[in-house]
């Protein structure tokens, strides 16, 4: 896991970190898309928007981390 993601899991990530993580995620969430566009336009997010953006982005990161672990080939039993 990258240091950036690990730090984000241990503490509340900055909006800049969330934007960066979201930009690399290949998924569709119309709320996150809207929030990312607001941030790009220099607008501030409301508390409930920050809550959704944070939880949705970080949950997707965790899912991707979990799936990359399960996709590794298993060793044959001895």
């Amino acid at each position: 896991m990258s240091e950036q993601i690990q730090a984000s899991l241990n503490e509340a990530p900055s909006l800049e970190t969330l934007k960066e993580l979201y930009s690399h995620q290949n998924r569709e969430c119309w709320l996150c898309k809207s929030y990312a566009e607001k941030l790009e336009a220099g607008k501030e997010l409301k508390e409930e928007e920050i809550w959704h953006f944070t939880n949705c982005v970080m949950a997707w990161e965790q899912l991707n981390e979990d799936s990359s672990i399960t996709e590794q080939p298993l060793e044959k039993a001895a």
Side-chain angles (χ1 to χ4, degrees):
M1 184 180 304
S2 75
E3 289 181 30
Q4 181 182 31
I5 294 170
Q6 184 60 43
S8 297
L9 292 174
N10 294 332
E11 59 189 47
S14 69
L15 288 176
E16 197 58 43
T17 298
L18 290 171
K19 264 185 5 182
E20 179 69 22
L21 291 172
Y22 175 75
S23 71
H24 297 291
Q25 296 175 350
N26 186 19
R27 66 188 181 91
E28 292 184 28
C29 173
W30 62 272
L31 284 173
C32 286
K33 181 180 178 183
S34 170
Y35 301 154
E37 289 171 353
K38 281 179 80 171
L39 291 170
E40 287 296 322
K43 298 179 181 176
E44 290 189 24
L45 298 182
K46 298 176 186 173
E47 185 177 339
E48 61 271 10
E49 293 171 332
I50 294 171
W51 183 89
H52 174 90
F53 196 53
T54 301
N55 286 288
C56 195
V57 169
M58 295 309 293
W60 193 259
E61 283 299 311
Q62 187 63 45
L63 283 173
N64 283 337
E65 180 68 25
D66 291 346
S67 69
S68 69
I69 291 171
T70 59
E71 289 176 3
Q72 295 176 357
L74 298 174
E75 293 183 27
K76 293 183 179 180

